[in-house]
Structures are given as C-alpha cells and as structure tokens.
Amino acid sequence: MKEGLLISDQRTQASYEIPIQDGTIRAMDLRQIKTAPDDFGLMSYDPAFMNTASCRSAITFIEGDKGILRYRGYPIETLAEKCSFLEVAYLILFGDLPTEPQLKEWVGQITHHTMLHETTKKFLEGFRYDAHPMGMLVSTVAALSTVYPEARHVQDPEIRRLQIMRLIGKMPTIAAYTYRHSLGYPYVYPDNELGYTGNFMNMLWKMAEPRYTANPALACALDILFILHADHEQNCSANVMRSVGSSRADPFLATAAAAAALSGPLHGGANEEVLKMLDEIGAKDKVPAYIEKVKAGQFKLMGFGHRIYKNYDPRARILKWAADRVFEVTGRNPKLDIALELERIALEDEYFIKRKLYPNVDFYSGIIYQAMGFKPEMFTVLFAIPRTAGWLAQWQEMVEDPEQKIARPRQVYIGHAVRDFVPLEKRSAAPAPVKA
Ligand SMILES: CC(C)(COP(=O)(O)OP(=O)(O)OC[C@H]1O[C@@H](n2cnc3c(N)ncnc32)[C@H](O)[C@@H]1OP(=O)(O)O)[C@@H](O)C(=O)NCCC(=O)NCCS
C-alpha cells in the first residue's frame, strides 16, 4: 500500500502528493502548496501543539487511550516494582538497563557529584526566609552554569555526560537545602555511604543525631515516586528543555528553564494545588458541592485530566498502592478519604466521563508527600528531582539528532499592516477596548 496523502487545493485546482511516514506528514511538505510563485506557501497552525510531533524520540512511549506508559520499552509497572531510581535514570539516559558493573559505576559517579560548591550554598542563603522552594531551585540550578563554564560545550559527549552526572547528583542536595533554608535549619552535607533517596532524606531531616537512618519503607516509596516521575515524553517542561537547549544554551540553564515550566499549576505545580484543594474542601461530605462548582466552570479539579491520557493514568494507580505502604508507617493521611471520594464521584459523573477526565499523577502524590512530612511547597521540587533525568535524556537526544535545529515556530500575523507614524504631540489615546 502506498503511504501518501493527496491534497487538492481548491484555490488553484492543483493537487499534491505528500508522503506519510510514521503516521505523520512533514509540515515543510506543505510549503510547496502555493497560490502564486511569490506566495510563501501553506503552513500548519497548531496553538499549544495539539497535533504536532516536534521530534522523533526513542525514550518514552505513552498510549493515552489505553493508559500505557513505557520507558525505553519497559512498562512503568515493571520498572517501579523491580528497579531503583538510578537504574531507571540510566535506562532513560542511555537506552538500556545497566549491567551490574555499569550500575555500580553509575551510582558511584552520581554519588561523587552530590556536593555543592560552597559559593552555591552561600547563594542559597541569600533567599528570603519565605522564598518558594521552586523559585530557589530554578535560580540555583541556573547559577550552577556559572560554576561549570565548560558545560557550554554541548557538542562534546564527554562534557555532556559530566554535566548529566552533576545535575542528577546535585538536584537532591539543592532540593534539601531549599527545605532547610525555609525552616532556618543548618544545611546537612551529602553522605556518600547512603543511597540516592536515603541520602536525600538524610539531608532533609537529620538534626542532632550522629547518624540519621531513613525508614527503609519510606525511602523505597520515595524511590518508586521518583521512578514514576522520571520522564513523560514531550510534556510542557520537556519541550522547554529541548527548545532552550536547541539554542545551545548549557544544560544547567536549559534545566532551570524546564524546572520553571514545571512549576506552573497546570503542570508539576498541580500536586501543590491538589493539597490546597483538599484543604479547601475540608470534609468528605463537602465533595458533591465542590464537584458541582467544577462542573459549573468555576475552577478545575486539580490533579484531574491530561492532554495525552484519556484513561486512568497508570502512574496514579501505582501511587495509590504506594500510598498504602507509606500510611502503614506514617498513619493514614485523612485527606485520602476526601481524595477517594472526589475520585469516586468524578468517575461516575457524566461531565468527567464525557471529557475522559481521570486522576493524573499529581492527584495522589501530594497526599503521600504530606504523610512523609513534606510541606506542599516542596511537592513540585520533589517532582523536579527525578524529572531531571528525563529532561537530560530529551536534551541529549535533541543535541544528537541531525534533523534538529534551533526551535523557532512560525506565526500567523494578525496585527496592523504598515501604519503612518504620528508624532508624539499629535497622538490621541486609542479608544479603550470594548468589554464583552
Ligand atoms: C492537564 C490539563 C492542563 C490538560 O489540558 P488540555 O489538554 O488543554 O485539556 P482542556 O483544557 O482542553 O480540557 C478539555 C475539557 O475538559 C475540561 N477539563 C480539563 N481538565 C479539567 C479538570 N481538571 N477539571 C474540570 N474540567 C476539566 C475542560 O474545561 C474542557 O472542557 P470543555 O470541552 O467543556 O471546554 C487540564 O486537564 C488541567 O488543567 N488539569 C488540572 C491541572 C492538573 O492536574 N495538571 C497536571 C497534569 S499532569
């Protein structure tokens, strides 16, 4: 069967055959469709990239209608059950699961790069006592660019690999320092004897005791949460990572930009909003009235809906399971009852069924984080730590892809045609826009 699209232009009666590859046509193939030789040619118009593939990627596969998520071909459920986060980060970044010696070397390298330069620590000290941890994280990651100027040589694979290790190693340290800063506690230096999540918990919660020992069940749950958040193909922040990286900005700056995108309430910031929403609802019996307000369009149900998933988010299912493991240690978070009631009513309601709105990853993660002792402002920071592996994998793939260039969309200009200039003394105020 021939794979092509026949287009007939009703303006000119001309017809064109456009090749189809992997279920897509190339937007540049539309450019040949013109009304005259000096016509620019046809473009596609796709605000918010609703139907545009911006790259070819071999990292993460999502089938939204079936609720499938795989990293490099492995189902998320299997990885969450059988692997550590650093093993999964290796898989995402380098394409295959590591062998035992490869994993040992990789873990050693990441552990070796957990320390922050003392000047970076001082930089963090400059933030106000009530600074939002995400703002601190974004700025500190960007500041690392000044500590490692060689990072700008993004075409050098060895230099790239070193920055990847630095970023994955330092992210938990920065995150822990933002937390300690907000509480006014002294910073705790990384402990090389501990694993990735155990060390993170040590830097967060160690007080006067000579050695902090993380609860193994909580460290394991955090590791699973990190695996679930490691990558999610071309989401808003991954797109920012690729877009900023496409200008050949260094990976610290590109990661800071991606983290900034993650902070928004429609993206990673949603987990913090879910907790605020559950607080606002307050009790299980208030859920139906809240749902009515959502349906009336007053606000969105945070932690619900997804651009790609039109089925239950597979990560939310694993999170529900992880929540039970965490609650065995911490005691049940009473907000879970409100969340379960919200989910129950929403999944039976025509409004949500018709729009295929299901709980997403942010719906249950905040409840778990809160039970573990995190403040809601830290939730998005906890998302950013593992997502750094995904951002870097997307960035690396983009840098190595010969088809990629600086990302630069086109626009449909809808402003004025050329206007006559009016000198300042002759200008009158433009009439105020009419409100609808
Ligand atoms: C994730 C999200 C940004 C995806 O947005 P999108 O793909 O642009 O989807 P749309 O906003 O076009 O939604 C389609 C319809 O569902 C409705 N909808 C989407 N999410 C909704 C939600 N959480 N609560 C109530 N209604 C919702 C929209 O109002 C729209 O309804 P309409 O067709 O009557 O206008 C959106 O679902 C959302 O804002 N969710 C809440 C924030 C969140 O949890 N983000 C984390 C994502 S992992």
PDB file of all heavy atoms in Angstrom, residues 229-250:
ATOM      1  N   HIS A 229       8.054   9.579  38.126  1.00  0.00           N
ATOM      2  CA  HIS A 229       8.137  10.952  37.646  1.00  0.00           C
ATOM      3  C   HIS A 229       9.320  11.183  36.693  1.00  0.00           C
ATOM      4  O   HIS A 229       9.547  12.316  36.276  1.00  0.00           O
ATOM      5  CB  HIS A 229       8.280  11.913  38.830  1.00  0.00           C
ATOM      6  CG  HIS A 229       7.007  12.108  39.600  1.00  0.00           C
ATOM      7  ND1 HIS A 229       6.627  11.285  40.621  1.00  0.00           N
ATOM      8  CD2 HIS A 229       6.024  13.029  39.497  1.00  0.00           C
ATOM      9  CE1 HIS A 229       5.472  11.693  41.123  1.00  0.00           C
ATOM     10  NE2 HIS A 229       5.072  12.756  40.443  1.00  0.00           N
ATOM     11  N   ALA A 230      10.070  10.122  36.358  1.00  0.00           N
ATOM     12  CA  ALA A 230      11.353  10.329  35.671  1.00  0.00           C
ATOM     13  C   ALA A 230      11.225  10.925  34.260  1.00  0.00           C
ATOM     14  O   ALA A 230      12.060  11.731  33.859  1.00  0.00           O
ATOM     15  CB  ALA A 230      12.131   9.018  35.628  1.00  0.00           C
ATOM     16  N   ASP A 231      10.233  10.510  33.509  1.00  0.00           N
ATOM     17  CA  ASP A 231      10.079  11.121  32.172  1.00  0.00           C
ATOM     18  C   ASP A 231       8.635  10.972  31.723  1.00  0.00           C
ATOM     19  O   ASP A 231       7.908  10.100  32.218  1.00  0.00           O
ATOM     20  CB  ASP A 231      11.011  10.466  31.134  1.00  0.00           C
ATOM     21  CG  ASP A 231      11.040  11.284  29.849  1.00  0.00           C
ATOM     22  OD1 ASP A 231      11.311  12.495  29.921  1.00  0.00           O
ATOM     23  OD2 ASP A 231      10.761  10.726  28.761  1.00  0.00           O
ATOM     24  N   HIS A 232       8.217  11.832  30.813  1.00  0.00           N
ATOM     25  CA  HIS A 232       6.853  11.726  30.309  1.00  0.00           C
ATOM     26  C   HIS A 232       6.761  12.308  28.908  1.00  0.00           C
ATOM     27  O   HIS A 232       5.882  13.101  28.606  1.00  0.00           O
ATOM     28  CB  HIS A 232       5.868  12.408  31.274  1.00  0.00           C
ATOM     29  CG  HIS A 232       4.558  11.712  31.329  1.00  0.00           C
ATOM     30  ND1 HIS A 232       3.357  12.348  31.262  1.00  0.00           N
ATOM     31  CD2 HIS A 232       4.264  10.388  31.418  1.00  0.00           C
ATOM     32  CE1 HIS A 232       2.388  11.465  31.320  1.00  0.00           C
ATOM     33  NE2 HIS A 232       2.911  10.273  31.413  1.00  0.00           N
ATOM     34  N   GLU A 233       7.660  11.914  28.070  1.00  0.00           N
ATOM     35  CA  GLU A 233       7.842  12.372  26.674  1.00  0.00           C
ATOM     36  C   GLU A 233       7.654  13.879  26.509  1.00  0.00           C
ATOM     37  O   GLU A 233       8.165  14.640  27.308  1.00  0.00           O
ATOM     38  CB  GLU A 233       7.089  11.462  25.674  1.00  0.00           C
ATOM     39  CG  GLU A 233       5.608  11.207  25.912  1.00  0.00           C
ATOM     40  CD  GLU A 233       4.749  11.745  24.784  1.00  0.00           C
ATOM     41  OE1 GLU A 233       4.879  12.938  24.417  1.00  0.00           O
ATOM     42  OE2 GLU A 233       3.891  10.954  24.289  1.00  0.00           O
ATOM     43  N   GLN A 234       6.950  14.342  25.485  1.00  0.00           N
ATOM     44  CA  GLN A 234       7.050  15.772  25.130  1.00  0.00           C
ATOM     45  C   GLN A 234       6.041  16.638  25.899  1.00  0.00           C
ATOM     46  O   GLN A 234       5.190  17.302  25.328  1.00  0.00           O
ATOM     47  CB  GLN A 234       6.871  15.952  23.623  1.00  0.00           C
ATOM     48  CG  GLN A 234       7.808  15.111  22.781  1.00  0.00           C
ATOM     49  CD  GLN A 234       9.251  15.196  23.236  1.00  0.00           C
ATOM     50  OE1 GLN A 234       9.767  16.279  23.473  1.00  0.00           O
ATOM     51  NE2 GLN A 234       9.911  14.053  23.372  1.00  0.00           N
ATOM     52  N   ASN A 235       6.149  16.622  27.209  1.00  0.00           N
ATOM     53  CA  ASN A 235       5.286  17.488  28.028  1.00  0.00           C
ATOM     54  C   ASN A 235       5.830  18.919  27.998  1.00  0.00           C
ATOM     55  O   ASN A 235       6.873  19.186  27.388  1.00  0.00           O
ATOM     56  CB  ASN A 235       5.232  16.938  29.446  1.00  0.00           C
ATOM     57  CG  ASN A 235       6.620  16.772  29.996  1.00  0.00           C
ATOM     58  OD1 ASN A 235       7.226  17.724  30.446  1.00  0.00           O
ATOM     59  ND2 ASN A 235       7.170  15.576  29.900  1.00  0.00           N
ATOM     60  N   CYS A 236       5.142  19.803  28.706  1.00  0.00           N
ATOM     61  CA  CYS A 236       5.497  21.226  28.644  1.00  0.00           C
ATOM     62  C   CYS A 236       6.971  21.475  29.010  1.00  0.00           C
ATOM     63  O   CYS A 236       7.706  22.155  28.281  1.00  0.00           O
ATOM     64  CB  CYS A 236       4.547  21.992  29.566  1.00  0.00           C
ATOM     65  SG  CYS A 236       4.908  23.723  29.723  1.00  0.00           S
ATOM     66  N   SER A 237       7.435  20.887  30.124  1.00  0.00           N
ATOM     67  CA  SER A 237       8.814  21.175  30.549  1.00  0.00           C
ATOM     68  C   SER A 237       9.849  20.486  29.658  1.00  0.00           C
ATOM     69  O   SER A 237      10.930  21.041  29.412  1.00  0.00           O
ATOM     70  CB  SER A 237       9.026  20.805  32.014  1.00  0.00           C
ATOM     71  OG  SER A 237       8.686  19.463  32.251  1.00  0.00           O
ATOM     72  N   ALA A 238       9.543  19.288  29.154  1.00  0.00           N
ATOM     73  CA  ALA A 238      10.482  18.614  28.242  1.00  0.00           C
ATOM     74  C   ALA A 238      10.613  19.431  26.964  1.00  0.00           C
ATOM     75  O   ALA A 238      11.712  19.561  26.399  1.00  0.00           O
ATOM     76  CB  ALA A 238       9.987  17.207  27.922  1.00  0.00           C
ATOM     77  N   ASN A 239       9.501  19.997  26.528  1.00  0.00           N
ATOM     78  CA  ASN A 239       9.532  20.827  25.328  1.00  0.00           C
ATOM     79  C   ASN A 239      10.380  22.077  25.561  1.00  0.00           C
ATOM     80  O   ASN A 239      11.125  22.512  24.682  1.00  0.00           O
ATOM     81  CB  ASN A 239       8.101  21.193  24.940  1.00  0.00           C
ATOM     82  CG  ASN A 239       8.040  22.004  23.678  1.00  0.00           C
ATOM     83  OD1 ASN A 239       8.584  21.590  22.653  1.00  0.00           O
ATOM     84  ND2 ASN A 239       7.423  23.159  23.740  1.00  0.00           N
ATOM     85  N   VAL A 240      10.287  22.631  26.784  1.00  0.00           N
ATOM     86  CA  VAL A 240      11.114  23.800  27.117  1.00  0.00           C
ATOM     87  C   VAL A 240      12.591  23.402  27.140  1.00  0.00           C
ATOM     88  O   VAL A 240      13.451  24.113  26.621  1.00  0.00           O
ATOM     89  CB  VAL A 240      10.686  24.390  28.486  1.00  0.00           C
ATOM     90  CG1 VAL A 240      11.703  25.391  29.002  1.00  0.00           C
ATOM     91  CG2 VAL A 240       9.317  25.040  28.367  1.00  0.00           C
ATOM     92  N   MET A 241      12.875  22.236  27.729  1.00  0.00           N
ATOM     93  CA  MET A 241      14.271  21.753  27.787  1.00  0.00           C
ATOM     94  C   MET A 241      14.858  21.652  26.386  1.00  0.00           C
ATOM     95  O   MET A 241      15.963  22.106  26.117  1.00  0.00           O
ATOM     96  CB  MET A 241      14.273  20.367  28.451  1.00  0.00           C
ATOM     97  CG  MET A 241      15.642  19.776  28.654  1.00  0.00           C
ATOM     98  SD  MET A 241      16.389  20.439  30.146  1.00  0.00           S
ATOM     99  CE  MET A 241      18.096  19.927  29.941  1.00  0.00           C
ATOM    100  N   ARG A 242      14.090  21.049  25.485  1.00  0.00           N
ATOM    101  CA  ARG A 242      14.562  20.898  24.109  1.00  0.00           C
ATOM    102  C   ARG A 242      14.679  22.262  23.418  1.00  0.00           C
ATOM    103  O   ARG A 242      15.627  22.523  22.688  1.00  0.00           O
ATOM    104  CB  ARG A 242      13.603  19.998  23.320  1.00  0.00           C
ATOM    105  CG  ARG A 242      13.763  18.524  23.607  1.00  0.00           C
ATOM    106  CD  ARG A 242      12.737  17.724  22.834  1.00  0.00           C
ATOM    107  NE  ARG A 242      12.924  16.292  22.960  1.00  0.00           N
ATOM    108  CZ  ARG A 242      13.555  15.521  22.054  1.00  0.00           C
ATOM    109  NH1 ARG A 242      14.058  16.048  20.961  1.00  0.00           N
ATOM    110  NH2 ARG A 242      13.666  14.220  22.242  1.00  0.00           N
ATOM    111  N   SER A 243      13.681  23.105  23.668  1.00  0.00           N
ATOM    112  CA  SER A 243      13.646  24.385  22.972  1.00  0.00           C
ATOM    113  C   SER A 243      14.806  25.278  23.419  1.00  0.00           C
ATOM    114  O   SER A 243      15.529  25.843  22.585  1.00  0.00           O
ATOM    115  CB  SER A 243      12.301  25.053  23.283  1.00  0.00           C
ATOM    116  OG  SER A 243      12.048  26.066  22.394  1.00  0.00           O
ATOM    117  N   VAL A 244      15.013  25.392  24.725  1.00  0.00           N
ATOM    118  CA  VAL A 244      16.128  26.209  25.227  1.00  0.00           C
ATOM    119  C   VAL A 244      17.450  25.561  24.819  1.00  0.00           C
ATOM    120  O   VAL A 244      18.373  26.236  24.356  1.00  0.00           O
ATOM    121  CB  VAL A 244      16.030  26.385  26.766  1.00  0.00           C
ATOM    122  CG1 VAL A 244      17.254  27.093  27.314  1.00  0.00           C
ATOM    123  CG2 VAL A 244      14.762  27.154  27.125  1.00  0.00           C
ATOM    124  N   GLY A 245      17.520  24.233  24.945  1.00  0.00           N
ATOM    125  CA  GLY A 245      18.746  23.526  24.562  1.00  0.00           C
ATOM    126  C   GLY A 245      19.060  23.666  23.080  1.00  0.00           C
ATOM    127  O   GLY A 245      20.224  23.605  22.682  1.00  0.00           O
ATOM    128  N   SER A 246      18.026  23.868  22.268  1.00  0.00           N
ATOM    129  CA  SER A 246      18.248  23.960  20.821  1.00  0.00           C
ATOM    130  C   SER A 246      19.046  25.199  20.442  1.00  0.00           C
ATOM    131  O   SER A 246      19.614  25.280  19.362  1.00  0.00           O
ATOM    132  CB  SER A 246      16.918  23.926  20.063  1.00  0.00           C
ATOM    133  OG  SER A 246      16.277  25.186  20.111  1.00  0.00           O
ATOM    134  N   SER A 247      19.083  26.189  21.354  1.00  0.00           N
ATOM    135  CA  SER A 247      19.907  27.376  21.068  1.00  0.00           C
ATOM    136  C   SER A 247      21.350  27.132  21.479  1.00  0.00           C
ATOM    137  O   SER A 247      22.182  28.022  21.372  1.00  0.00           O
ATOM    138  CB  SER A 247      19.348  28.590  21.821  1.00  0.00           C
ATOM    139  OG  SER A 247      19.667  28.494  23.205  1.00  0.00           O
ATOM    140  N   ARG A 248      21.637  25.920  21.995  1.00  0.00           N
ATOM    141  CA  ARG A 248      22.957  25.514  22.502  1.00  0.00           C
ATOM    142  C   ARG A 248      23.280  26.196  23.838  1.00  0.00           C
ATOM    143  O   ARG A 248      24.446  26.352  24.183  1.00  0.00           O
ATOM    144  CB  ARG A 248      24.081  25.741  21.485  1.00  0.00           C
ATOM    145  CG  ARG A 248      23.893  25.019  20.167  1.00  0.00           C
ATOM    146  CD  ARG A 248      24.100  23.523  20.306  1.00  0.00           C
ATOM    147  NE  ARG A 248      23.862  22.820  19.048  1.00  0.00           N
ATOM    148  CZ  ARG A 248      22.761  22.098  18.796  1.00  0.00           C
ATOM    149  NH1 ARG A 248      21.803  22.001  19.693  1.00  0.00           N
ATOM    150  NH2 ARG A 248      22.626  21.468  17.647  1.00  0.00           N
ATOM    151  N   ALA A 249      22.233  26.632  24.548  1.00  0.00           N
ATOM    152  CA  ALA A 249      22.449  27.075  25.934  1.00  0.00           C
ATOM    153  C   ALA A 249      22.928  25.850  26.720  1.00  0.00           C
ATOM    154  O   ALA A 249      22.622  24.710  26.351  1.00  0.00           O
ATOM    155  CB  ALA A 249      21.144  27.597  26.528  1.00  0.00           C
ATOM    156  N   ASP A 250      23.678  26.068  27.801  1.00  0.00           N
ATOM    157  CA  ASP A 250      24.219  24.908  28.525  1.00  0.00           C
ATOM    158  C   ASP A 250      23.100  24.180  29.287  1.00  0.00           C
ATOM    159  O   ASP A 250      22.026  24.728  29.513  1.00  0.00           O
ATOM    160  CB  ASP A 250      25.397  25.317  29.425  1.00  0.00           C
ATOM    161  CG  ASP A 250      24.978  26.037  30.697  1.00  0.00           C
ATOM    162  OD1 ASP A 250      24.082  25.546  31.396  1.00  0.00           O
ATOM    163  OD2 ASP A 250      25.565  27.093  30.994  1.00  0.00           O
TER     164      ASP A 250
END
